[in-house]
Amino acid sequence: MVLPDFSIALPEIFLACAAMALLMIGAFRGNKSTSLISWLSVLSFIVAGLLVQFDGYSTITTFGGLYRDDAYGVFMKTLCLGASAFAIIMSIDFNKREKLVRFEFPILIVIATLGMMVMISANDLMTMYMGIELMSLSLYVTAAFKRDSVRSTEAGLKYFVLGALSSGMLLYGVSLIYGFTGTTNFDVLANLFTSGEEEAGIGLLIGMVFMIAGLAFKVSAVPFHMWAPDVYEGVPTPVTAFFAAAPKVAAIALFLRVFVTPFGELVEQWQQIIVFVSIASMVLGAFAAINQKNIKRLMAYSSIGHIGYALVGLAAGTEEGVRGVLIYMSIYVVMNIGTFACILSMRHRDGMVEDISELAGLSKTQPWMAFFFLIFMFSLAGIPPLAGFFGKFYIFIAAVNAGLIPLAVIGLVTSVVGAYYYLRIVKIMYFDDPTEGFEPASRTQSIIMAASGLFIAFFVIFPGPLLDGAQAAAAVLFP
């Protein structure tokens, strides 16, 4: 018997072992070890990131074709590991202040990130499902982490129930695809459709629709977005920051790999569904956020809209479209990390605040925080020359070149509408009379704000590394 090449999955194996070791430390030392476990978790992500970079630029499959290692996986895994590391770092001070110091929290994020890495490297529908469930089960617990809060437990329960429904839909779609093709392997599926041995019958199309429904839930795309506003608002802010970044990247990465690799030849069949989901997400994200008063709830609708923009690149079905999505998601992660670092700094003497009106006069009481908040809001709105503009630019250019001009036009219109609620926050910070001032941001939050803000502001000067990395990653899906 030939053993699989375990070196290909070395980052995942290391992360699994790290999670078990951290769990043992927590079990023996209790909650007093939370800070140590948090920083060791960040160190684990750094080591896993180095292992990912070490051996991932040649396309290799192992475990009987179930698992794939390539430049695309390197790009997306690095993004997920970075987002997860920053989520843990941002949570340390918050959890101490809010008396949520429990050693399980960083470990759950490590396990969820392990599931994301499995999703990204999946080369089979079964591997895909295993990665999704490993990630999702950790996220369900993380959502209800603040056990003493009714809002948090309600958010966790809602996320769990709807997540279980979406997993069932996804698995039903997988079973239909297997039933009509006789395989779950991505490479075999791609060969079947490329060679013309398998036609896109009605049963197969229904299976693809159910798969899209399951994956759309994971990225909170319309019409499977209903969990996002309540969960974003109800869970602790560091958990919201985590949900808004790393899991979205992993789910989009899986979305791209599934529909470009095995089903790339069937683009005419699934393209119209993705176009509908994209338009619905952009429109809802633009209009539903206008009247929001809670900043976290506003960011939930914002994330729905941004996922709609990302799906524009998938709808194009081209290498240029995939490249645009990778650039967009990279910039999106940095924008969200910076924005949530600002939100985590919205604290009075009486505790955390989430109401947008509390930002009144922030430019006078905390000028540097207001300045970075302004950068993030302008970038999320897509105002040049900030990075958010270029993210949308590459997406829309890909759609136009693919003949999806109406989709690009709708994207532009919704961007203009969405700019209203981002600019409203800037207006409140700079033109309204000050309310009670916030306490100074912690050193950690300040560093994250500054680093993210500088990346967003100066991306136009040094775009080369990200563009080249995205191009190399996208080329892997179009051999």
Side-chain angles (χ1 to χ4, degrees), residues 207-229:
M208 289 169 61
V209 169
F210 273 101
M211 276 191 60
I212 291 173
L215 292 174
F217 176 89
K218 302 304 177 186
V219 297
S220 67
V222 177
F224 305 99
H225 66 285
M226 67 291 292
W227 61 273

Side-chain angles (χ1 to χ4, degrees), residues 23-82:
L23 188 60
M24 294 303 294
I25 293 173
F28 282 106
R29 297 191 58 186
N31 289 331
K32 64 182 180 181
S33 64
T34 301
S35 182
L36 172 65
I37 290 175
S38 296
W39 287 112
L40 286 176
S41 298
V42 173
L43 180 62
S44 300
F45 289 143
I46 294 172
V47 174
L50 294 174
L51 291 172
V52 165
Q53 298 292 328
F54 179 70
D55 186 27
Y57 289 95
S58 56
T59 302
I60 308 171
T61 57
T62 187
F63 300 109
L66 296 174
Y67 209 75
R68 177 184 293 269
D69 192 31
D70 53 24
Y72 176 78
V74 170
F75 187 95
M76 300 307 276
K77 286 179 185 178
T78 303
L79 208 52
C80 281
L81 288 167

Side-chain angles (χ1 to χ4, degrees), residues 197-213:
E197 295 178 32
E198 188 69 39
E199 296 293 331
I202 186 67
L204 180 63
L205 294 179
I206 293 173
M208 289 169 61
V209 169
F210 273 101
M211 276 191 60
I212 291 173

Side-chain angles (χ1 to χ4, degrees), residues 103-394:
F103 72 87
E104 297 93 346
F105 181 77
I107 297 173
L108 284 167
I109 292 183
V110 172
I111 297 171
T113 308
L114 173 60
M116 296 174 207
M117 295 175 71
V118 173
M119 289 166 60
I120 293 168
S121 283
N123 197 49
D124 191 281
L125 294 174
M126 291 295 99
T127 315
M128 172 195 79
Y129 187 73
M130 183 181 74
I132 288 174
E133 288 306 296
L134 182 58
M135 177 191 76
S136 298
L137 290 172
S138 302
L139 296 183
Y140 299 151
V141 181
T142 309
F145 188 72
K146 193 174 182 181
R147 296 184 300 234
D148 299 331
S149 167
V150 174
R151 285 203 312 170
S152 182
T153 50
E154 179 187 349
L157 181 61
K158 183 175 292 187
Y159 188 35
F160 169 70
V161 172
L162 294 174
L165 175 63
S166 74
S167 293
M169 295 172 71
L170 180 70
L171 196 57
Y172 182 60
V174 168
S175 67
L176 284 175
I177 291 169
Y178 174 71
F180 282 94
T181 62
T183 183
T184 56
N185 186 269
F186 289 177
D187 295 331
V188 178
L189 284 168
N191 290 333
L192 284 176
F193 300 126
T194 303
S195 63
E197 295 178 32
E198 188 69 39
E199 296 293 331
I202 186 67
L204 180 63
L205 294 179
I206 293 173
M208 289 169 61
V209 169
F210 273 101
M211 276 191 60
I212 291 173
L215 292 174
F217 176 89
K218 302 304 177 186
V219 297
S220 67
V222 177
F224 305 99
H225 66 285
M226 67 291 292
W227 61 273
D230 292 335
V231 171
Y232 273 50
E233 182 182 5
V235 301
T237 306
V239 179
T240 311
F242 177 57
F243 280 17
K248 294 288 180 73
V249 171
I252 284 290
L254 183 60
F255 230 133
L256 292 173
R257 193 185 285 280
V258 168
F259 285 95
V260 171
T261 303
F263 303 115
E265 290 295 318
L266 305 180
V267 62
E268 293 182 0
Q269 278 73 34
W270 54 257
Q271 186 182 59
Q272 56 190 330
I273 305 172
I274 300 298
V275 167
F276 167 76
V277 172
S278 174
I279 292 173
S281 299
M282 290 188 293
V283 171
L284 182 100
F287 286 95
I290 289 176
N291 291 323
Q292 299 303 321
K293 295 179 174 58
N294 183 287
I295 186 71
K296 288 163 63 178
R297 198 171 183 88
L298 181 143
M299 289 302 296
Y301 284 110
S302 170
S303 74
I304 292 169
H306 283 284
I307 288 300
Y309 298 127
L311 291 176
V312 170
L314 174 58
T318 61
E319 183 177 332
E320 185 183 19
V322 172
R323 172 174 171 262
V325 176
L326 300 187
I327 295 169
Y328 191 86
M329 292 308 296
S330 303
I331 294 169
Y332 169 80
V333 165
V334 178
M335 291 189 297
N336 268 274
I337 288 171
T339 302
F340 277 100
C342 293
I343 294 172
L344 281 163
S345 301
M346 292 171 59
R347 179 180 175 83
H348 292 159
R349 286 173 298 177
D350 298 330
M352 297 292 297
V353 293
E354 299 172 3
D355 200 295
I356 294 172
S357 63
E358 298 287 345
L359 291 166
L362 186 66
S363 62
K364 300 176 181 64
T365 58
Q366 298 277 354
W368 282 108
M369 179 180 167
F371 174 70
F372 286 120
F373 218 147
L374 175 145
I375 289 177
F376 299 132
M377 292 298 101
F378 276 13
S379 185
L380 285 166
I383 295 174
L386 300 176
F389 166 78
F390 292 98
K392 291 181 180 177
F393 173 78
Y394 289 112

